[in-house]
Structures are given as C-alpha cells and as structure tokens.
C-alpha cells in the first residue's frame, strides 16, 4: 500500500496497543475486558480495508505474495520467540512440542507467543475471501457467505472457535472472524465518504455518531454491555457478538481520524506486523534486563500498565523493528 492513509495507521496503533494491553490480563483493570470485546475484530476489519486498497492480481501470485508477507514472517517470529524463551528459561524439553505447534500454524491459545496466530489466520482468511470474490460476482453474496461462515463457526464447529480454537492454521478462527474482514473490505469506501469532514453535514453526522458510540464504549468499559438488553434469543445471540465490536471499531476509526496528524501514533501503526511478532520477546526481554540492574516491574494501578504498554511499543519500534526489517529485506520479504 504505497499511498498510506494516515488514520488507518493510527487505528492500527490503537489496535496493537490494545493487543499488548489485553495480554497483561487483570493488571489492565477494566481495560482487560474492554479491549477483548473488539481488538481482534478491529485488526481483521483494518486488514479488509487495506485489501481494498491493493491491486488485483492472479490467485497464484496472490498466494505467493501472502506466503511472503504473512506465513514466512509468522515462522520467523515463532521460531525467534521459541529460541528466546528456551535460552531465557532453559526449557529445552519444550522445543519439540513447540516446533510441532509452529508446524500446525501457531493455533490460537495453543502456542505460547500470543499474537502470532493472527498471521496464519489472516493468511487463510485472505485466500478464502479472494476465492469467494472471484466465484461470486455480487458483493452482497460474498458478504452473505462470510456471515454464513461465521454462523458455521458459532453453531456447527465443536468446540466453538471463539472459546476453544483447535484447527490447524486457525481455519476455525478464520471462519469466525472473516465477517469483520468482509465488512472492512466492503465498508471502506462508505467509511471514507463518512470521514470526509470537509462537508459540514458529514462532520455533523460523525459528531453525533461519535457521541452515541462513546457513551456505549464508556458503559462497556465499566462492564455494562448495553447489548445485553437485546441479547435475549438465539438470533440476537448470533448478531450481538458482531455488532458489539463493530460499534467500537467505528469509534476507533473516528478517533483515529481526529488524531491522524499525530506522527508518533502513525509511526507505530505502520509497523504492527513486527510489533505483533515481537510482543512476546519484548515483554520477556525488558523485565529480564531490568532485573539485571536490580529493578523489578510491578503494576500497582491499571494506569501504570497503560504507560508501560506504550513504553514497550515505542521501545520495540526503536530496537527490534529496524533489525527485523533489515532481515526481512535481505530475505526479499519486504520491499
């Protein structure tokens, strides 16, 4: 994507911040439950937006392109994480089991390095969506099929992927989340139009929507989900898990549009692939280095966790990311 859209990069920053923060668990306070309501759907939605900006190429080239941009990086990050954790903890007996997990595609909640599963899941999702687009000429039909895949994941796959993912290369998770990818792909152009705030009417609409969505988000942060009042039957039980993150995603995009000139956020957001792949290592290395000089990290208040999360993102962007980019360029994985 040569012509980057600034607010999408800021939205990716918010997304990766939420990923890092959510993995601190209860140390994040209410934010732990809040970010898990939308952070994964947000990234798949943004991936769909990015795909809309890409040039259409034949299937064979598309598969090769995504092997280079997603699968090979996934293996590199996974093996790198395994090397670091093995050396740090001396858990040599876990090497073979973890290598087998890597061969399975780093299934979500199975491989110890949390965020890496996203890469194999996105690979499967992108190929599936590409095929659906080519087979079905009507976008409403593609979107309907993606909704059907979501319903299959919720109703027919046992155990449910959202609770207990288990299929190689996160195929079951791809079925669950592909609806958000499709919404990002087909919703990108209307979104662009809505966020064109040069026109007073659209700006007024956005302000009104932003206010409503902010109220919903505030209640959700306080663990009071307003959708619980309509989640009263089997149909709504299927719809609400999609509507809930979509509401927050729209709010994130509006906030990102407001903050699109904050260069620091955009700088971090451009490197989410590397930040995602390096999360486990940076969270292991920093406390280890601090212990060497006699310091210990504690999280007495959620705000401390927020600040530390931001610190890790900046530090990772300064240290790990340039080195990883250099390696990827030598391997011709990065232009």
């Amino acid at each position: 994507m040569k012509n980057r859209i600034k607010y999408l990069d800021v939205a990716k920053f918010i997304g990766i911040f939420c990923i890092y923060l959510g993995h601190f668990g209860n140390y994040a306070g209410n934010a732990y439950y809040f970010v898990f309501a939308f952070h994964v759907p947000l990234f798949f939605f943004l991936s769909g937006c990015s795909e809309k900006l890409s040039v259409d190429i034949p299937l064979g080239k598309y598969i090769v392109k995504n092997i280079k941009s997603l699968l090979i990086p996934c293996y590199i990050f996974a093996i790198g994480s395994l090397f670091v954790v093995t050396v740090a903890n001396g858990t040599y007996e876990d090497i073979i089991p973890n290598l087998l997990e890597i061969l399975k595609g780093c299934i979500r909640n199975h491989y110890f390095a949390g965020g890496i599963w996203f890469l194999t899941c996105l690979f499967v999702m992108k190929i599936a969506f590409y095929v659906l687009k080519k087979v079905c000429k009507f976008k409403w039909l593609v979107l309907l099929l993606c909704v059907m895949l979501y319903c299959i994941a919720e109703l027919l796959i046992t155990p449910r992927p959202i609770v207990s993912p288990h299929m190689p290369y996160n195929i079951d998770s791809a079925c669950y989340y592909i609806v958000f990818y499709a919404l990002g792909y087909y919703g990108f152009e209307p979104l662009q139009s809505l966020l064109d705030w040069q026109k007073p009417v659209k700006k007024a609409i956005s302000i009104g929507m932003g206010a409503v969505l902010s109220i919903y988000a505030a209640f959700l942060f306080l663990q009071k989900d307003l959708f619980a009042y309509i989640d009263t039957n089997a149909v709504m039980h299927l719809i609400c898990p999609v509507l809930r993150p979509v509401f927050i995603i729209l709010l994130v995009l509006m906030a990102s549009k407001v903050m699109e000139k904050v260069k620091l956020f955009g700088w971090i957001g451009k490197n989410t692939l590397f930040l995602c792949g390096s999360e486990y290592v940076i969270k292991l290395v920093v406390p280890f280095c601090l212990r060497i000089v006699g310091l210990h990290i504690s999280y007495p208040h959620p705000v401390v966790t927020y600040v530390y999360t931001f610190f890790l993102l900046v530090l990772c962007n300064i240290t790990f990311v340039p080195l990883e980019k250099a390696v990827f360029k030598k391997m011709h994985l990065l232009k």
Side-chain angles (χ1 to χ4, degrees):
M1 189 168 63
K2 294 182 179 179
N3 299 319
R4 303 193 71 94
I5 295 178
K6 293 180 180 179
Y7 75 85
L8 290 183
D9 283 333
V10 174
K12 289 176 183 178
F13 156 71
I14 295 173
I16 198 66
F17 178 86
C18 290
I19 294 289
Y20 272 48
L21 181 62
H23 289 163
F24 280 110
N26 290 324
Y27 289 118
N30 282 0
Y32 170 52
Y33 303 97
F34 178 69
V35 299
F36 268 89
F38 72 92
H39 63 1
V40 172
L42 170 63
F43 263 115
F44 285 123
F45 183 95
L46 294 173
S47 298
C49 292
S50 298
E51 184 64 27
K52 189 66 175 180
L53 295 167
S54 300
V55 177
D56 194 23
I57 57 177
L59 177 60
K61 290 184 177 180
Y62 188 75
I63 293 174
V64 171
K65 173 187 172 184
N66 283 286
I67 288 174
K68 293 173 67 175
S69 63
L70 292 173
L71 282 192
I72 296 177
C74 173
Y75 299 141
I76 293 173
F77 291 133
I79 292 171
S81 299
L82 179 56
F83 173 79
V84 171
V85 77
T86 301
V87 172
N89 298 333
T91 52
Y92 299 100
E93 67 277 6
D94 293 335
I95 292 177
I96 299 302
N98 281 317
L99 284 175
L100 292 175
E101 289 298 332
I102 293 172
L103 291 175
K104 293 178 185 177
C106 299
I107 301 171
R108 180 165 60 95
N109 297 345
H110 288 239
Y111 192 66
F112 66 89
I116 296 176
W117 72 271
F118 176 84
L119 302 179
T120 54
C121 185
L122 182 59
F123 174 80
V124 170
M125 189 181 298
K126 292 184 75 169
I127 303 305
F129 189 78
Y130 181 100
V131 172
L132 288 176
K133 279 194 306 170
K134 293 300 180 182
V135 172
C136 308
K137 299 303 181 182
F138 302 103
K139 64 181 181 181
W140 64 265
L141 183 54
V142 177
L143 187 56
L144 177 61
L145 290 172
C146 290
V147 170
M148 288 177 63
L149 286 172
Y150 162 75
C151 292
I152 288 171
E154 276 289 81
L155 301 176
L156 299 181
I157 297 178
T158 304
R160 290 170 59 217
I162 192 62
V163 176
S164 300
H166 56 280
M167 290 187 181
Y169 282 78
N170 295 288
I171 293 172
D172 50 349
S173 293
C175 289
Y176 181 90
Y177 287 113
I178 195 170
V179 65
F180 297 104
Y181 186 89
L183 287 172
Y185 184 87
Y186 290 119
F188 176 68
E189 290 177 351
L191 179 68
Q192 281 281 78
S193 177
L194 175 65
L195 297 180
D196 179 13
W197 291 342
Q198 300 298 321
K199 299 179 180 180
V201 173
K202 290 183 178 179
K203 190 170 185 178
I205 292 172
S206 294
I207 291 172
M209 285 182 60
V212 173
L213 295 173
S214 296
I215 292 170
Y216 171 71
F219 274 98
L220 189 60
F221 183 84
L222 296 172
Q223 300 184 41
K224 298 182 184 295
D225 183 13
L226 299 181
F227 276 113
Y229 294 102
I230 62 172
D231 189 358
T232 56
N233 56 59
V235 174
M236 294 309 300
H237 196 61
L238 274 175
I239 294 174
C240 286
V242 176
L243 287 180
R244 186 178 296 111
V246 165
F247 270 40
I248 306 299
I249 288 169
L250 288 174
L251 180 61
V252 166
L253 290 166
M254 290 179 181
S256 300
K257 181 66 176 177
V258 172
M259 298 186 292
E260 67 177 347
K261 293 184 180 179
V262 181
K263 293 182 179 180
L264 177 60
F265 296 165
W267 172 63
I268 295 173
K270 290 176 184 178
N271 295 316
T272 49
L273 170 69
F274 301 97
L275 294 169
C276 176
S278 305
E279 180 192 1
Y280 185 86
V281 174
I282 192 74
K283 285 183 175 180
L284 185 69
V285 168
V286 170
F288 178 79
C289 292
L290 290 175
R291 283 196 297 270
I292 292 175
V293 296
L295 298 176
H296 175 72
I297 296 174
S298 62
Y299 313 98
H301 192 276
V303 173
V304 176
T305 313
Y306 305 162
V307 174
Y308 181 59
T309 297
F310 185 74
F311 165 75
L312 287 177
L313 287 171
V314 173
L315 182 64
C316 192
N317 228 28
I318 293 172
T319 55
F320 287 5
V321 171
L323 293 174
E324 290 164 350
K325 282 187 172 181
V327 171
F328 278 38
K329 283 182 179 179
K330 286 188 177 181
M331 296 178 67
H332 304 289
L333 300 175
L334 193 66
K335 293 182 180 179

